[in-house]
Amino acid sequence: MRGALLLAAAVPLAAATAAAVLAAGHWQLYADRHRIEITARPRTGCPRCHGAGGRWVGGAFPEMEACGCWSDRREFRVRLLPLPTWPDQPPF
């Protein structure tokens, strides 16, 4: 009984700690029944992109160049359940 109470108190504390670490490290967490993803976010104090994540470069046809404050960082994915397959044609 005592172990269950400690576990019940530890789970919210672990969730709050994980949320604080993700926010401080500029990470974004996405989870559903098929996958868990942790991806990088642009840093708000970046002197190059000022938190926008990139800048427009080029002349007549500008393109967005991603800033290194988030694009050079790895992303983590854990696959949980396979995605359902869709038939090529409907059954009717």
Side-chain angles (χ1 to χ4, degrees):
M1 179 70 176
R2 187 175 193 186
L5 289 175
L6 288 174
L7 182 63
V11 170
L13 179 64
T17 304
V21 167
L22 288 171
H26 298 280
W27 294 97
Q28 181 178 7
L29 174 70
Y30 175 78
D32 64 8
R33 59 188 266 189
H34 299 290
R35 67 188 170 278
I36 298 172
E37 293 181 0
I38 299 176
T39 56
R41 293 185 313 176
R43 296 183 185 277
T44 54
C46 178
R48 289 178 286 170
C49 71
H50 304 287
R55 57 191 167 105
W56 292 100
V57 295
F61 302 104
E63 293 182 358
M64 181 70 131
E65 180 179 288
C67 184
C69 70
W70 69 274
S71 66
D72 295 340
R73 295 167 62 189
R74 295 185 59 154
E75 56 186 38
F76 306 100
R77 288 190 181 127
V78 177
R79 189 171 166 188
L80 301 175
L81 292 174
L83 293 172
T85 58
W86 295 97
D88 291 337
Q89 295 185 4
F92 48 85

